[in-house]
Structures are given as C-alpha cells and as structure tokens.
Amino acid sequence: MATQTIRTTCSYCSVGCNFTATVEDGTVTSWKPDKNYPVNLGRSCPKGFNLLEPLQSEDRLTTPLGRGADGELHPISWEEAFTRFADGFKKVLDTHGPESAAFLSTGQIPFEEMAFLGALGKFGMGMVHGDGNTRQCMATAAVAYKQAFGFDAPPFTYTDIEESNFLVFLGSNAFISHPVLWNRLKHNKDKKVVVVDPRATKTAKAADQHIQIQPKGDLSFLYAVTNEIIKNGWVDEKYVSAHTIGYDELAAHVADFTPESVEEVTGLSAETIRTFAREFHEAKAASFWWTMGVNHSHQGVRTAQAMINLCLITGNIGRPGTGPNSITGQANAMGSRIFSNTTSLYAGYDFTKDADRQFIAEQMGISVDRIPQKNSLPYHKILEGADTGQIKALWFIATNPGHSWIDHNKFLERMKKLDFIVVQDLYANTETAEVADLVLPAAGSAEKYGCFINSERRIGIVDKVMDPPGQAKADFDIFKGIAEAWGLGDMFAAWNSTEDIFRFLARVSKGKPCDISGITGYQMIRDHGGIQWPYPADAPNDEVHRRLFEDGQFYTEDGKARLLVTDIVPVPEPIDEKYPFVLITGRGTVVQFHTQTRTGRSAMLRKSYPADAYVEINPEDAERMGVSDGDSVTVTSRRGHSTVDAVVSDKMAPGQVFMSMHYPETNPLTFPAFDPYSFEPNYKWAAVRVEKEG
Ligand code: SF4
C-alpha cells in the first residue's frame, strides 16, 4: 500500500491554516490541522475540518454543460465546451470590440491560476476588462494601503495579535469569521481587547469592552479620537516628521470633531471617546484589526485610512503588536490583489504606463500591443455595462454573484441582457451557473496545485490530496484548453504547470514591494512552512514572522506615508417613516462561508446553522411590532422583499436589523452604494421595514 503525507492550505478564509492529509492508495484516510504550521499550530475551525466533504458532494459537476435549443443545460464533451467557449467569445469580441466582454474572477483559486486567467483573458483573448470578487471584500483595504503606503501592503504578522496591549477590532466579527486567528489572543496575557461594532456580536461579547457604535458612525468616531490625540499632545512628533506627509491637513481636518460633536452620529458618549483615545495613547503597543464592517462602506477607504492615520501619528506601526491591520476575507484575496492581472499588471505594475507594459511584455515574450493600455472597469461598472449594452459576454470563475452581488435582483435582470455567459465552478446549481450558457466543471483546492497568500502575506502551498470527480479539471487545465482552442497554444507553451507560472511571477516581482524572487519553487515553501512576502533573492530573510515598515520606510517615492482625510457625507439611503430600520448584513456563524456554495454541501456543517434565512430584531422593536421569536416576517426595501424568520436578539440595537449574507433572501434588499475610491459595495446599510406575516 502506497502511503503519502501531504500538507495543504485551507481554501475558505484568509487565516491560511494548513492541514496534513494521509493518503493511502489515492484515498484520504486522515485529515488533521498541522501542528507545526506557524499559522494555526494544530488548530482549525469546523469549516477547515470539513474541507473535503463538499468536494465529495453528489452535486459536483462532472462534465461540461452546454445550453441546448430546448433552453436546458446538457452534458457535452470538453472538446465541444472549448469550441463553444472560443466561438462564443470570439463572436462577441469580433463584432463589438475588446471592451464588450469581461471576466469576473475570485479570491478562491491559487494565484498562479489567477495569473493565467489574467494573461489569457487580457493578453490572449484581447479583453480589456476583468475584475475579481475581491472587489466585494478587500478592495477598500487594498486602496487604503496603496494610497497611504504606496503599495497594497498589510503590515502585520500574526504574532502581533499576541504582542499588542490594546487591540481594537473595528467592524470585525473575528470570533466567527477568523476563529483560528482570534484564538491566538489566548497567548496574549497583557492586553485589552476593544470591539467597535453596531452589533453585540460574539466577538464583542468575548472582548473586554464593546463600544456599540451607530452604523456608519465609525469615521466620525476615529476623527474625534484623532482630535483628542492631537489636542492632548499625544502625537509622536518625531515619527510624524520623519515618516509622514499631510499632518497639518489632518490636524486641521479633525479639529472640529470634538467628542461632544460626534455623540449623536456615533451614539457614544464623549467620555467613551475620550477614554478610548487615552487608552490608545497609553498602550505600549496599540493595534487596529478590521474587516468588512469597514470595507463594506460608502466611505470605507477613508475609514481604513483614519485607522492608518492614528497608527502613524502615534508611532504604532513597524513595532511588535502594532499596526493598522486588515484581516482579509477569502483564502487568496491577497494573491488576487497582487498577481491576478486585473486591477494592476502583475506585482503592482501599471497598465497605463508604457515602461510597465513593455517590461511585462518582454517577460511574457509577447508583443506589447497585446497588453491593454487602460485599467479594467471595476466590477459594478462591468455589470452596469450589461445594462447599457457595452458588455455582451461574461465569464465567471469560482464565484457566485447571482447570490452575493449587492441589489441582486438587478444582477439577474442584467444577466438576461447578455449574449453569452460562461461559469467555471465546482457545481452547476449555483445561482450564477443556472443562468449560464456554458458551465465548465472545475477541481476544488484539494484536487490541484498552487499557492494562496493569507492575511499576513504568507504564501502557503496548495497541494493535491485527491483527484477531481469525473471530467472536472483544475482551472489551470481549463485555461490551457481554452488557450489551445483559441489558437494561443504558443503564447502559453512555457506554462506547463502552476509552478512554471509561480516562477514567472517570482521573476516579475523582482524589485517590487512584493518581491518573491528569492523563492525558488514549491519545495522551498513546503520546507519553510509558508513564506511571507517580501522574500527578495538579494536579501532573503528566513525569520518565520516578519512585519513591514520596521525601518519607517514606506513604498512611496519619498519613502513617507500619506495621512489622508475626507469630509463625512450623508448615508446613501437614509431611513424614513416608510423604511425605518437600518439593515446590516454579515457573516452568520462559524460554519458558514459566503454563498454557501461549499459549506451548504456539508451535512456536518449544515447541522450547526439555521436552515432558513432570518432577521435579528432588537427586543424593544419586536415587542412594539408584536413580533416573537420564530415568527414569519417580511423585510422590505425599495428594491425587493424577503419573508424570513424573526430572531429577537439583544445583539441588535433598536432601529437596526441584521440579516446573514449566506442566504439568498438578503441581497435582494441591499442598497447599491459604492466607495468612491475602491468601488467596493456598501453591504452594511440599507433602509428597510419589517412586517409580521399574517
Ligand atoms: Fe480554514 Fe479559516 Fe477555519 Fe483556518 S480559520 S480552518 S483557514 S476557514
């Protein structure tokens, strides 16, 4: 009997836990969290433990499907699928030009596959537009860092969570969203944990202090705290003058944000704000940790930068236990941000710069004319293009916006206007696959090779532990087949494995902030237990945990960080008499992930979360409306309505209701507002009313 031990990375959240599989004669006989991996140290959450179960679901798509003349999807061969793919996209692109088709990708596949997709779609097929579903989670953090630091560079390493004395989780329900990371707090014996969140989440209840802020009061709160820090002389002036630009503008901007002046918008007492500012100042090492409560906002970038500002002006960056730290959403959102060839050329090169296009063209061995000279439209503009007729064809890879996109009824209307839709996924019964003309069966993460990059910039290996079912293929092989069918075999002849692409990216990254030119290949990543970027060939550093900016040098031309501010603008859809509640959406339980494409197919996980959609309502509001726990209620916004179960819960403040993102009943209600810099949707505010059924 042939027995192998294989270590691979979990493909749900961005913590990046590793698991060790024992494989005997091709069958996985044991699956355990890896004790030696520096990320999870033998720990896991239930999703990771059950990673393989959804891959073995009967729902797995095992052959390509093509829509027939009867309007139904039917099994077809791969040869037929590749031909239909090439014919469908060529017809649209030849007729309507290079801006008439686009791809919409994911943070869930290895970044080598993302890089292949980015090259195939843009350099090969000739599309200008291609974005990722990381637009729905991390675009805000990415833009905030890029503008402030000169590069999209989360500065922390996970040991910072163990070394910080004052940890502020702002808009983060890490207890259920990033449980293994949250668990590391138990190694920190000298700390205060503060949660700033409108909901009394599990994270808030587990913290030392919950600051129950009004929805969208966070930017005013942070500016008032900044004002307090400045007014009390708590600024690290030496750090500010040596390492930042924009302090005078920041000080002038926040001068009017007194704690008293923001009491109403934040729902907090001036004393609470003053105490927070003083404790932040007094901490030896203070840190912010944020996720979607900040990123999903109409002013998310400037809110993230308000935390970045606070860390910079108090010198809480580049030291153990400090930092403005965004916790990423999906397993490989960081890989998508730097290597997917969507919003930027590989490794942060710029589509709009001649020299950058020339460099990438030389590295790829292609004519520079093949590289688009403009940036892609962002996700929401691509979808709007379906309305206006600009976009005629879309290719979705490992993503399900038919469930997850904001204001989702409009999304489905737009899909009806397209000439050609391709979905590449594990299952054919996702909401998006159901409207496709062609569905391509893909392998799951444990069925192929590549790398993910986690929240702390650690590149972790994805190794194959089992075969995909039926004719399902790794996304790499699907891209290879499409390239051949398109007549692009020569362009990608050098890419015969994901590791070939890894080595290309390592070479291209040389000299950039995300330089990984010193990583020779997958075996080195396996041997090191993951490697954080940067890892340059000319300055390799084998410390297991590395944070950025210890020398106070940022990635801007002058090496200084930018302090950035904005005016507060009104919420996009104010509540009124007809729609008196603020609807907040977010993650429901530790055992659910996003649109439940995978977690919904695990019998084990399904036992541990509510089967039906629900809305959490404050007890006072429920009593006033005569609503009891378990009653059927209809939640209505200006865009749609959904009938769900009422959950009467003191998690909610009066006037606010919560619905979990995992159920399709939620996004018909959400309001399509977007941050003006990151274009990330604001899933955390819509005006709704709630009515008891019957
Ligand atoms: Fe996977 Fe995240 Fe759970 Fe770790 S914490 S096992 S990476 S889902």
Side-chain angles (χ1 to χ4, degrees):
M1 182 185 287
T3 303
Q4 287 176 285
T5 303
I6 302 172
R7 189 159 79 181
T8 193
T9 305
C10 176
S11 56
Y12 282 114
C13 89
S14 66
V15 174
C17 301
N18 262 214
F19 286 79
T20 303
T22 306
V23 183
E24 295 178 29
D25 284 339
T27 302
V28 179
T29 54
S30 138
W31 176 255
K32 291 183 185 150
D34 193 292
K35 284 198 174 71
N36 300 316
Y37 198 63
V39 166
N40 53 314
L41 304 167
R43 295 199 161 266
S44 165
C45 80
K47 295 190 294 293
F49 264 124
N50 285 280
L51 188 81
L52 305 185
E53 192 188 346
L55 299 181
Q56 293 156 334
S57 155
E58 286 181 359
D59 283 355
R60 280 297 294 275
L61 181 60
T62 55
T63 67
L65 300 177
R67 200 164 292 282
D70 60 358
E72 302 296 321
L73 287 168
H74 298 282
I76 55 175
S77 68
W78 270 112
E79 191 184 359
E80 169 75 10
F82 288 139
T83 302
R84 283 199 196 190
F85 181 99
D87 289 351
F89 271 99
K90 276 185 177 172
K91 188 172 165 197
V92 166
L93 289 164
D94 290 348
T95 310
H96 303 285
E99 298 200 48
S100 61
F103 62 87
L104 289 166
S105 173
T106 182
Q108 299 278 305
I109 62 176
F111 62 75
E112 299 89 336
E113 293 183 331
M114 296 175 184
F116 198 162
L117 170 64
L120 175 62
K122 294 196 170 182
F123 308 158
M125 294 165 60
M127 292 191 277
V128 173
H129 305 300
D131 201 359
N133 69 8
T134 43
R135 183 74 66 184
Q136 290 166 268
C137 62
M138 297 316 297
T140 287
V143 174
Y145 285 138
K146 197 170 176 187
Q147 292 180 347
F149 298 158
F151 197 80
D152 174 14
F156 64 104
T157 184
Y158 285 164
T159 52
D160 285 318
I161 210 163
E162 297 163 3
E163 295 175 286
S164 184
N165 312 114
F166 191 74
L167 299 102
V168 185
F169 286 79
L170 202 153
S172 163
N173 193 1
F175 189 97
I176 64 162
S177 299
H178 301 90
V180 170
L181 181 57
W182 176 262
N183 200 267
R184 292 186 80 125
L185 278 171
K186 75 171 196 282
H187 300 298
N188 187 338
K189 302 293 178 214
D190 175 24
K191 64 176 185 297
K192 176 171 182 181
V193 177
V194 180
V195 168
V196 182
D197 200 304
R199 283 176 80 219
T201 60
K202 285 200 168 170
T203 311
K205 288 184 174 174
D208 297 301
Q209 183 186 3
H210 176 207
I211 295 181
Q212 192 160 18
I213 196 166
Q214 283 290 312
K216 303 304 167 202
D218 43 9
L219 189 51
S220 299
F221 166 72
L222 291 164
Y223 283 167
V225 172
T226 309
N227 187 20
E228 276 294 292
I229 298 271
I230 292 172
K231 245 180 36 197
N232 287 298
W234 295 334
V235 171
D236 184 338
E237 289 175 5
K238 212 166 137 199
Y239 192 92
V240 166
S241 85
H243 302 298
T244 70
I245 298 274
Y247 178 75
D248 290 344
E249 291 83 352
L250 170 67
H253 185 82
V254 301
D256 292 337
F257 287 83
T258 62
E260 283 75 14
S261 74
V262 302
E263 278 187 330
E264 190 178 337
V265 70
T266 62
L268 306 173
S269 71
E271 193 46 38
T272 300
I273 297 169
R274 287 206 169 87
T275 303
F276 178 91
R278 182 173 45 73
E279 290 181 348
F280 191 87
H281 156 66
E282 287 173 351
K284 285 195 296 274
S287 55
F288 280 106
W289 305 82
W290 85 83
T291 54
M292 300 313 149
V294 172
N295 291 346
H296 288 165
S297 173
H298 64 293
Q299 295 202 283
V301 168
R302 291 293 186 253
T303 306
Q305 287 165 343
M307 289 181 277
I308 293 171
N309 295 344
L310 270 166
C311 289
L312 287 166
I313 68 169
T314 57
N316 276 300
I317 191 162
R319 292 189 289 112
T322 64
N325 305 324
S326 77
I327 311 172
T328 316
Q330 302 176 78
N332 202 14
M334 189 74 239
S336 166
R337 283 150 70 174
I338 56 178
F339 289 131
S340 66
N341 211 33
T342 51
T343 50
S344 66
L345 279 166
Y346 299 119
Y349 281 96
D350 191 333
F351 280 104
T352 66
K353 290 186 178 157
D354 292 348
D356 288 13
R357 288 197 308 279
Q358 190 62 45
F359 173 75
I360 295 294
E362 282 163 14
Q363 295 299 313
M364 285 284 304
I366 59 173
S367 162
V368 71
D369 300 335
R370 282 193 167 273
I371 301 185
Q373 297 181 22
K374 62 197 246 186
N375 288 320
S376 168
L377 288 172
Y379 208 119
H380 71 305
K381 290 287 172 192
I382 290 174
L383 295 179
E384 278 176 33
D387 258 348
T388 62
Q390 177 192 342
I391 298 290
K392 305 280 188 194
L394 282 174
W395 177 16
F396 297 96
I397 302 95
T399 187
N400 185 19
H403 174 139
S404 66
W405 190 252
I406 201 158
D407 186 12
H408 119 302
N409 288 341
K410 187 171 270 182
F411 174 91
L412 294 175
E413 282 167 27
R414 287 168 168 168
M415 292 306 102
K416 289 182 193 146
K417 298 184 179 178
L418 295 173
D419 293 348
F420 191 51
I421 301 173
V422 178
V423 169
Q424 188 165 317
D425 210 330
L426 307 182
Y427 313 96
N429 48 0
T430 69
E431 287 86 347
T432 316
E434 281 171 357
V435 299
D437 299 294
L438 181 64
V439 188
L440 306 177
S445 66
E447 298 165 345
K448 59 182 181 178
Y449 298 96
C451 293
F452 292 157
I453 307 180
N454 76 355
S455 282
E456 54 162 1
R457 312 178 319 284
R458 185 178 304 277
I459 299 169
I461 203 81
V462 173
D463 264 340
K464 180 175 172 176
V465 302
M466 55 204 257
D467 288 326
Q471 297 175 43
K473 290 178 187 280
D475 293 284
F476 171 88
D477 292 314
I478 298 175
F479 300 142
K480 198 85 178 162
I482 290 169
E484 291 290 341
W486 200 280
L488 295 164
D490 287 350
M491 183 181 284
F492 300 106
W495 288 357
N496 291 307
S497 68
T498 53
E499 194 165 10
D500 290 337
I501 304 175
F502 180 91
R503 293 203 173 98
F504 162 79
L505 295 170
R507 195 171 73 234
V508 162
S509 72
K510 191 170 174 52
K512 301 296 277 186
C514 59
D515 187 337
I516 53 168
S517 58
I519 305 177
T520 52
Y522 288 173
Q523 195 53 45
M524 186 171 168
I525 299 170
R526 292 185 189 106
D527 293 345
H528 277 63
I531 301 176
Q532 287 177 290
W533 67 258
Y535 194 92
D538 53 3
N541 182 337
D542 288 326
E543 279 179 58
V544 174
H545 291 284
R546 290 180 285 129
R547 71 185 57 78
L548 301 177
F549 312 131
E550 288 181 328
D551 58 359
Q553 289 302 299
F554 296 89
Y555 300 122
T556 51
E557 274 181 17
D558 55 15
K560 294 187 177 186
R562 301 302 191 259
L563 300 164
L564 297 159
V565 290
T566 195
D567 293 330
I568 311 268
V569 301
V571 292
E573 191 187 41
I575 54 171
D576 56 22
E577 269 183 27
K578 203 165 171 202
Y579 300 97
F581 287 98
V582 175
L583 170 66
I584 302 170
T585 71
R587 204 178 292 264
T589 63
V590 70
V591 293
Q592 291 169 288
F593 195 72
H594 291 189
T595 69
Q596 301 243 76
T597 303
R598 285 177 291 157
T599 50
R601 289 180 172 85
S602 161
M604 188 68 78
L605 298 180
R606 274 204 310 272
K607 282 185 204 152
S608 308
Y609 63 80
D612 298 321
Y614 58 92
V615 59
E616 291 178 359
I617 308 171
N618 174 272
E620 281 174 33
D621 291 328
E623 191 180 350
R624 190 168 32 78
M625 295 188 293
V627 169
S628 303
D629 220 27
D631 281 352
S632 194
V633 295
T634 297
V635 185
T636 307
S637 77
R638 290 183 177 85
R639 294 152 295 284
H641 59 89
S642 294
T643 299
V644 298
D645 295 340
V647 173
V648 179
S649 168
D650 64 1
K651 278 187 197 162
M652 302 311 298
Q656 299 163 32
V657 295
F658 171 85
M659 290 176 71
S660 161
M661 68 198 278
H662 311 298
Y663 303 89
E665 286 85 351
T666 299
N667 275 316
L669 308 169
T670 46
F671 181 80
F674 301 87
D675 179 272
Y677 303 100
S678 68
F679 308 116
E680 180 155 344
N682 174 8
Y683 286 97
K684 302 287 193 263
W685 182 297
V688 298
R689 67 171 177 267
V690 180
E691 292 154 306
K692 188 173 170 180
E693 282 292 288

